[in-house]
Amino acid sequence: MPKTPLHPSPPPLEANDVAIVGGGTVLWFVAFLALLPFQGTLSDHKHGSWPWICLSGGLLGLIGLWYCRARRDAIARSRAAEAALREADGDGTGGGTGGGTGDGTGPAAQSD
């Protein structure tokens, strides 16, 4: 039985990491504030660490938020530098020498 031809993998999906991590961080802080009034009851039932776990989750979320914002900005700077480099090399469309896709990956971009 012949194998089916392999198709190229699709490009990875772009997600709004800052919004996702920010939403999770807010939820951790809301959980901390919701559990804080019940600290005595939670301690009586041996769950006194729950509010502090939520607080640490929120604080770690702030670190994650800082990281995601720095990563997003670095990706934007890298893409801007690539676009500037492509524009400096020519018009960025592969020069119209045939078969180029305009994104710098076609046969025209690979010619010497």
Side-chain angles (χ1 to χ4, degrees):
M1 175 188 244
K3 288 186 174 182
T4 59
L6 295 177
H7 298 286
S9 299
L13 295 175
E14 294 289 329
N16 190 350
D17 298 338
V18 176
I20 294 168
V21 173
T25 302
V26 167
L27 289 176
W28 279 116
F29 281 125
V30 167
F32 170 71
L33 293 175
L35 291 175
L36 200 56
F38 305 105
Q39 178 65 34
T41 306
L42 289 169
S43 294
D44 292 343
H45 292 93
K46 306 214 186 304
H47 298 296
S49 62
W50 285 7
W52 310 115
I53 291 170
C54 293
L55 180 62
S56 62
L59 294 175
L60 287 171
L62 290 177
I63 294 170
L65 196 58
W66 169 80
Y67 174 79
C68 286
R69 290 181 68 184
R71 180 180 174 274
R72 178 193 62 193
D73 295 343
I75 290 171
R77 283 192 305 271
S78 174
R79 286 182 180 163
E82 287 177 7
L85 183 62
R86 255 186 278 141
E87 192 167 308
D89 285 345
D91 61 353
T93 61
T97 57
T101 59
D103 62 356
T105 61
Q110 297 172 358
S111 63
D112 290 319

